[in-house]
C-alpha cells in the first residue's frame, strides 16, 4: 500500500537545544501549520516543546 501524501512524516526537534528529535505523522488537512507538541526530552530530563522541522 502506498503512503498517503495527506499524512506526511514530520520531524519534531526539541526547543531546549539538546538536539533530541521525535518522528511522527501529521494530517495536512487538520494541521496545515507547523506542529508544536509538549513531549519528554531525555537529555534535559523534563517535558519541553517540540516544534516541527522542515
Amino acid at each position: 500500500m502506498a503512503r498517503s501524501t495527506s499524512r506526511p512524516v514530520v520531524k519534531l526537534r526539541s526547543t531546549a537545544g539538546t538536539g533530541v528529535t521525535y518522528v511522527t505523522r501529521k494530517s495536512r488537512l487538520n494541521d496545515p501549520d507547523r506542529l508544536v507538541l509538549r513531549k519528554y526530552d531525555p537529555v534535559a530530563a523534563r517535558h519541553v516543546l517540540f516544534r516541527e522541522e522542515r
Side-chain angles (χ1 to χ4, degrees):
M1 230 177 184
R3 293 273 171 107
S4 173
T5 58
S6 64
R7 293 196 62 88
V9 174
V10 294
K11 201 184 273 190
L12 302 173
R13 184 167 303 274
S14 173
T15 58
T18 57
V20 176
T21 60
Y22 279 95
V23 178
T24 188
R25 301 177 74 83
K26 77 166 195 174
S27 172
R28 284 190 181 164
L29 298 175
N30 297 334
D31 300 311
D33 299 329
R34 289 193 183 185
L35 196 60
V36 178
L37 296 175
R38 190 168 182 263
K39 295 182 76 64
Y40 184 76
D41 187 339
V43 177
R46 61 190 177 103
H47 284 82
V48 296
L49 289 178
F50 279 74
R51 295 188 191 277
E52 177 182 340
E53 185 180 72
R54 291 192 181 165

